[in-house]
Amino acid sequence: MSNDDLNQTGAHECADCRRAAAAAAQPISVSRRGVLAGGAGLALAALGMPGLSLAALPTDHRLIFVLLRGGMDGLAAVPAYADPAYKAARGQLAIDDPNGEQGALDLNGFFGLHPSLKNLHGMYRDGDLAVFHAVATPYRERSHFDAQKLLEVGGNQLGQVRDGWMNRMLGLYGAAGGNLGIAFNQTIPLILSGEVPVASWAPGGGEAPPEFLERLSHVYASDPLFSRLLNQAVAADALADQAGAEMAGRGMTGRGPRQVLQRTLATAVEMLKAENGHRMAVVEVGGWDTHANQGAAAGGLANQLGQLDEGLGTLNRELQPIWNKTAIVVMTEFGRTVAINGTRGTDHGTGGVAFLAGGAVNGGHVLTNWPGLDQSQLYEGRDLMPTLDSRSILKSVMTQHLGLPAGDIDRFVLPNSGAATQIRQLFATA
Amino acid sequence: MTSIQASIAASRFGLGVRPGELDGIARDHRGWILSQIQQPAAVPRQIAAMPSSAQLGNTVVEMLTRGRRMRGMSEDVRRTNRQQMTRNALQMYRNEAIARTQSAIQTTTPVYERLVHFWSNHFTVSASKNEARPFLGGFEREVIRPNVLGKFGDMLLASTRHVAMLLYLDQAQSIGPNSIAGRFGDRGLNENLAREILELHTLGVDGGYGQDDVLALSKMLTGWTVGGIRAVLPERAQSRLPEANGGDFIFAELFHEPGAKTLLGKSFPEAGEGEARAALAMLATHPSTARFIATKLARHFIADDPPQRAIDQLAAVFLNTGGDLRAVTMALVDLPEVWADPLPKVRSPNDFVIALARAANVPVPDQDLLKGMRDFGQPVWSAPSPAGWPDTAQAWLAPESLMRRVDAARSVAQAIPNSIEPMAFLEDTIGPVANADTAIWTARAPDRVEAIGLVLASPEFQRR
């Protein structure tokens, strides 16, 4: 990992972010946890925050960012089956065209979806999914870790900013931003970390009694970090308990890894739907680094894609009541080599794929300035040439979906992204 | 003051305090550390008893070839065989992970064990790759343990040649396109190991290498594989490989890309197995490597954002001694920065579970240990990527993870014998660094379990 940038200070100032952090760092008494079925508002009141109602929240729109770690192979997820160079370039990894057995699910006669992406295909046909191809951050090297870092900080190059763009985005909501963000994980990924306090939640935590937590909050009083985290945890737990009550009897009790993702998402859905719930969420899915035996229509990557598809299907189904207010962005740090490598897999590449789903999305299109797959059209003779800056997508979501001012996004959230312009009419106008 | 330094010695250099231990350390905190660095620690009993990777490799190959012989058999029989293989591999991994963790809890040379954990994470091999899983304990035992106070170059070479690394980063089947095997088959080069050696094991991502260097090193590494590879080759090719145990390193000329290669501007003439050896030797003592290693050590032992002066100091010792890790570790102990601030680092889950068990001083069931690591998101040898586990508070401490630590602290408190009095427990563990708030609220707690739980959940216990 690169460490040089860790010593640099952020390139921007965000007074509201700091105020919000300072407010949340106050030692506050924790009164209850886990026993407040339906009473999260009370818990928040005990935390010194106003009893929040829908109207009091600064936004009613949701943003779910799904981060695929490891570099998903965009040409497997969204094969350009009609590109004249596709079949030869991909060899054994090529996905058949749509009329073949186990062929791609057609999008527009040129691109298709991997046959495992059935739910995504349904959303595309409903006009609720936009597909972006030949996408990349400004990063042009091939380290996972640096590539992820740049995607998560949202900068132009490493070292300019050190906290996550989504956290800075929450800073634009002022002090209330501190109630909006959550990572569905135990820990908080870089994309969501920074000065604005955010929550994290994952299934499987135990049960320390409320009285113990109350006393512990005094032990933590002089440690701002521990105080803030404990408060966030208590609030998130109260919401999750509420969500758990709603999920009761729905059979969400599986324990395998697949079920855990499903259960996490099912609870996440309830938390996002709750009136006093979180609005901006990050979900991470690992396992996309397919150096060997990645398979084509079936195999390791196909299973992985199937799991992603199932998860997005859950979100689509369960978020129906607020689907029109929801945007789901799916991104990965980079694409992979166009050609198969020596071990029936692919190595780290550049251009890749991103998805945007949601009820208000102007979907049913593949948005790309397609560079082509002929050897002469590739980046450095090996990777899909990137022609769209992933920050263009993020910027469009933040302005058109969340209604945030473009100037603030350019100044605070995605610094030095002037060249990454908005994609027009990505959302149906209300 | 001295007792604060005893606390730093026990928790930052060691793996957490065992009750009664602090007084002894306080008499000579530097001496307590140095005595563990000056001579290699004995290999813990549980660990010495495990089978070697070479032996294990044969077992794995046997399972693999049995799978191949079963090709004509029914899907049911083959499925049972696959399930058994997975169970066996899992069992080997579990035994090793338990031995490692119990040794860390019981050890009387915790400084040495911390160094093992640090270097094991630097050269990450992970259970996330099925094939590598049975060899992870062997990797630590055969590559890391013997070298943590030796030359960095020796550890790098041993790591690159070990079956776990060769499988984890796909090197075992990488084939030079112009090698004999490359000209006859449809297989070719895999650049995974070469890239991670440059980026993660030696120079660091900003260490001054490019894609051409990745390619050059991956070509130099072709032929570096394991004895077990024979089992998956056609018979004609098998006879061209040296006889070896399944888990042994072999050099397969058959796979080696011929010709001279240029790495970091230096030309290496064709030299078979010797090419990658020469390349690793050059990388091991490169100034970028010195800086990269120094930064990681300073981050682990000083602070998430380590002071530049300390990094420079460590890098200089690394360079001047040709990567002598004993000298570098001694230099670390001599840095004023490591003794300056008592609690700058948040314990990783691995450190937290071990520190809890050491403080509790009661036997912890194997199951609970593994479950603890898993529940906190750091199962033994299971880093999500070759970069290893992160080493900053930001990566480990968040609302949900804190809540789980709190739950664990309280449940461990219930296992501590009634004879232990809470304020004495506080003195014996976090005493020298305990905050007034912690002491007051521990004293006020309504019962022993609550009181001891507060100590174990306190910021002072979760930091080091």
Side-chain angles (χ1 to χ4, degrees):
Chain A
M1 299 254 262
S2 155
N3 306 309
D4 295 351
D5 50 319
L6 291 177
N7 292 322
Q8 306 202 9
T9 49
H12 66 283
E13 291 295 317
C14 179
D16 281 338
C17 304
R18 259 196 307 283
R19 268 198 299 280
Q26 297 298 316
I28 299 160
S29 111
V30 175
S31 72
R32 324 256 322 143
R33 171 185 182 240
V35 289
L36 283 166
L42 256 178
L44 290 167
L47 287 165
M49 299 171 196
L52 295 171
S53 68
L54 199 59
L57 273 178
T59 178
D60 192 30
H61 284 77
R62 274 72 163 178
L63 171 59
I64 306 172
F65 191 92
V66 181
L67 180 46
L68 309 181
R69 293 193 190 274
M72 178 184 67
D73 183 0
L75 287 169
V78 184
Y81 66 85
D83 186 293
Y86 175 75
K87 289 225 160 54
R90 291 247 103 188
Q92 294 171 313
L93 299 186
I95 305 291
D96 232 339
D97 53 38
N99 35 35
E101 206 178 317
Q102 281 200 298
L105 308 170
D106 192 37
L107 293 177
N108 59 5
F110 187 86
F111 295 104
L113 284 173
H114 188 281
S116 301
L117 299 176
K118 294 189 173 58
N119 285 308
L120 283 175
H121 195 230
M123 286 184 239
Y124 184 90
R125 281 187 308 203
D126 292 345
D128 286 356
L129 175 75
V131 177
F132 306 88
H133 221 316
V135 179
T137 69
Y139 183 74
R140 291 292 175 272
E141 303 303 315
R142 295 184 181 85
S143 154
H144 287 302
F145 320 109
D146 275 359
Q148 288 174 19
K149 201 184 277 177
L150 201 65
L151 175 64
E152 294 183 74
V153 299
N156 217 28
Q157 62 187 65
L158 287 163
Q160 290 170 335
V161 275
R162 57 181 298 173
D163 46 11
W165 65 258
M166 211 164 163
N167 192 283
R168 293 195 301 275
M169 181 190 84
L170 295 178
L172 298 181
Y173 289 98
N179 304 319
L180 294 180
I182 184 164
F184 287 105
N185 198 342
Q186 277 192 51
T187 52
I188 293 168
L190 178 57
I191 187 170
L192 199 49
S193 42
E195 296 190 53
V196 180
V198 292
S200 77
W201 182 88
E207 290 296 324
E211 300 76 20
F212 183 72
L213 296 177
E214 154 75 24
R215 269 187 289 276
L216 190 59
S217 73
H218 296 290
V219 169
Y220 285 1
S222 47
D223 192 310
L225 173 65
F226 278 74
S227 292
R228 171 163 69 72
L229 296 178
L230 183 65
N231 288 339
Q232 292 280 350
V234 169
D237 267 350
L239 267 174
D241 281 351
Q242 213 179 7
E246 315 225 356
M247 281 161 58
R250 291 171 57 185
M252 302 282 190
T253 53
R255 295 186 62 86
R258 215 170 165 121
Q259 287 90 331
V260 168
L261 178 65
Q262 288 299 313
R263 204 146 44 95
T264 305
L265 288 178
T267 312
V269 159
E270 297 301 336
M271 291 170 80
L272 289 164
K273 278 201 290 201
E275 282 196 4
N276 47 12
H278 300 91
R279 293 292 178 262
M280 318 288 171
V282 177
V283 180
E284 298 165 84
V285 188
W288 300 94
D289 198 17
T290 48
H291 281 285
N293 304 318
Q294 81 176 46
L301 180 58
N303 294 339
Q304 185 81 9
L305 286 167
Q307 207 179 125
L308 173 68
D309 185 68
E310 218 174 286
L312 293 171
T314 300
L315 291 179
N316 174 232
R317 202 170 49 249
E318 303 290 333
L319 285 172
Q320 273 310 313
I322 53 165
W323 184 241
N324 282 333
K325 296 172 185 167
T326 300
I328 304 170
V329 176
V330 183
M331 282 185 180
T332 187
E333 71 260 28
F334 47 46
R336 310 192 68 85
T337 48
V338 172
I340 186 168
N341 71 5
T343 46
R344 297 184 183 143
T346 46
D347 291 315
H348 305 178
T350 311
V353 147
F355 297 112
L356 171 66
V361 171
N362 211 339
H365 309 285
V366 182
L367 295 158
T368 184
N369 177 12
W370 185 242
L373 289 176
D374 187 81
Q375 180 75 23
S376 64
Q377 296 165 317
L378 302 184
Y379 178 71
E380 295 186 346
R382 55 177 262 161
D383 306 337
L384 179 62
M385 178 77 72
T387 55
L388 175 64
D389 188 325
S390 54
R391 293 172 305 170
S392 287
I393 305 169
L394 300 177
K395 209 177 264 188
S396 312
V397 171
M398 283 187 256
T399 51
Q400 297 167 32
H401 176 62
L402 299 178
L404 293 170
D408 286 354
I409 295 168
D410 284 348
R411 260 194 306 283
F412 303 123
V413 183
L414 301 170
N416 305 309
S417 67
T421 49
Q422 273 195 55
I423 301 162
R424 282 181 205 214
Q425 298 177 338
L426 205 48
F427 289 82
T429 41
Chain B
M1 196 54 196
T2 314
S3 58
I4 288 181
Q5 288 175 334
S7 192
I8 291 174
S11 290
R12 191 171 310 163
F13 286 96
L15 293 166
V17 187
R18 273 175 173 286
E21 200 179 35
L22 274 175
D23 284 347
I25 301 173
R27 278 194 286 279
D28 180 7
H29 60 272
R30 283 183 85 255
W32 180 77
I33 297 170
L34 292 177
S35 67
Q36 298 176 57
I37 297 174
Q38 270 145 2
Q39 57 204 22
V43 179
R45 188 178 40 81
Q46 305 98 308
I47 291 179
M50 295 286 171
S52 74
S53 299
Q55 287 169 301
L56 267 182
N58 287 340
T59 316
V60 172
V61 169
E62 211 172 288
M63 292 190 295
L64 271 175
T65 43
R66 180 149 36 104
R68 286 164 72 88
R69 283 200 304 272
M70 292 171 81
R71 273 197 182 145
M73 301 195 183
S74 76
E75 179 51 34
D76 273 3
V77 176
R78 283 162 55 206
R79 190 172 36 239
T80 312
N81 184 55
R82 274 201 304 274
Q83 284 166 348
Q84 198 196 338
M85 272 172 67
T86 309
R87 248 198 321 273
N88 288 351
L90 200 61
Q91 195 54 49
M92 292 179 216
Y93 159 79
R94 288 172 51 87
N95 292 344
E96 292 275 8
I98 289 164
R100 176 209 223 220
T101 309
Q102 291 286 15
S103 307
I105 293 166
Q106 290 152 22
T107 184
T108 52
T109 52
V111 176
Y112 190 84
E113 295 302 311
R114 173 172 292 284
L115 291 172
V116 170
H117 290 197
F118 173 85
W119 286 107
S120 195
N121 191 50
H122 178 76
F123 290 105
T124 284
V125 285
S126 173
S128 62
K129 184 99 161 193
N130 278 333
E131 297 90 317
R133 190 184 281 149
F135 302 104
L136 302 176
F139 181 86
E140 191 169 280
R141 189 165 51 248
E142 293 152 15
V143 170
I144 304 298
R145 256 175 208 288
N147 289 308
V148 291
L149 295 168
K151 288 277 187 185
F152 175 75
D154 292 341
M155 194 173 348
L156 173 65
L157 179 64
S159 154
T160 311
R161 290 165 68 92
H162 196 274
V163 55
M165 187 65 82
L166 292 166
L167 295 177
Y168 175 52
L169 293 180
D170 308 308
Q171 172 61 34
Q173 355 168 18
S174 177
I175 290 172
N178 300 303
S179 66
I180 301 167
R183 276 180 281 138
F184 287 96
D186 61 346
R187 298 240 163 179
L189 213 53
N190 187 304
E191 59 188 50
N192 205 6
L193 177 61
R195 178 182 304 282
E196 305 307 15
I197 287 174
L198 293 169
E199 177 177 340
L200 301 173
H201 300 164
T202 63
L203 306 177
V205 71
D206 301 321
Y209 66 92
Q211 176 62 25
D212 291 349
D213 297 307
V214 173
L215 268 177
L217 184 58
S218 61
K219 287 178 182 166
M220 293 161 111
L221 280 165
T222 48
W224 285 41
T225 183
V226 291
I229 196 89
R230 287 166 62 100
V232 297
L233 292 181
E235 240 163 73
R236 210 156 38 92
Q238 285 184 14
S239 60
R240 304 186 68 135
L241 296 186
E243 286 282 351
N245 278 313
D248 274 339
F249 170 84
I250 60 167
F251 177 71
E253 188 71 50
L254 192 63
F255 297 175
H256 185 67
E257 177 72 4
K261 290 104 181 161
T262 302
L263 179 68
L264 302 180
K266 186 177 182 303
S267 175
F268 290 74
E270 169 57 48
E273 181 188 350
E275 281 167 32
R277 263 180 184 275
L280 292 177
M282 176 174 87
L283 293 168
T285 52
H286 194 283
S288 295
T289 304
R291 199 163 47 239
F292 184 53
I293 300 291
T295 307
K296 282 185 84 168
L297 279 167
R299 175 167 305 121
H300 189 71
F301 285 96
I302 301 173
D304 292 358
D305 275 332
Q308 193 58 44
R309 197 205 71 91
I311 296 173
D312 294 345
Q313 194 95 358
L314 293 172
V317 174
F318 187 100
L319 269 184
N320 294 340
T321 60
D324 182 328
L325 297 181
R326 176 173 281 121
V328 173
T329 313
M330 306 266 270
L332 193 57
V333 181
D334 285 336
L335 290 174
E337 287 89 344
V338 297
W339 301 102
D341 185 356
L343 298 165
K345 296 282 294 182
V346 169
R347 280 185 161 132
S348 69
N350 181 69
D351 282 1
F352 180 63
V353 169
I354 291 167
L356 268 183
R358 286 176 70 84
N361 210 9
V362 292
V364 186
D366 297 340
Q367 281 309 327
D368 292 358
L369 284 180
L370 295 191
K371 184 174 181 305
M373 304 275 189
R374 204 173 49 239
D375 287 354
F376 297 141
Q378 195 180 18
V380 180
W381 299 309
S382 300
S385 85
W389 299 109
D391 200 4
T392 58
Q394 186 269 319
W396 289 125
L397 208 57
E400 180 67 27
S401 59
L402 174 64
M403 201 51 111
R404 293 190 189 195
R405 290 174 182 224
V406 169
D407 290 340
R410 200 172 167 284
S411 92
V412 168
Q414 288 169 324
I416 292 177
N418 281 327
S419 56
I420 307 292
E421 195 274 314
M423 291 314 282
F425 183 79
L426 182 146
E427 256 331 293
D428 266 352
T429 51
I430 57 170
V433 289
N435 190 295
D437 290 327
T438 308
I440 291 167
W441 285 91
T442 302
R444 282 184 194 167
D447 61 50
R448 285 185 56 259
V449 170
E450 298 266 305
I452 292 175
L454 288 177
V455 173
L456 295 174
S458 69
E460 300 91 298
F461 192 85
Q462 299 198 52
R463 295 177 179 274
R464 65 176 180 90

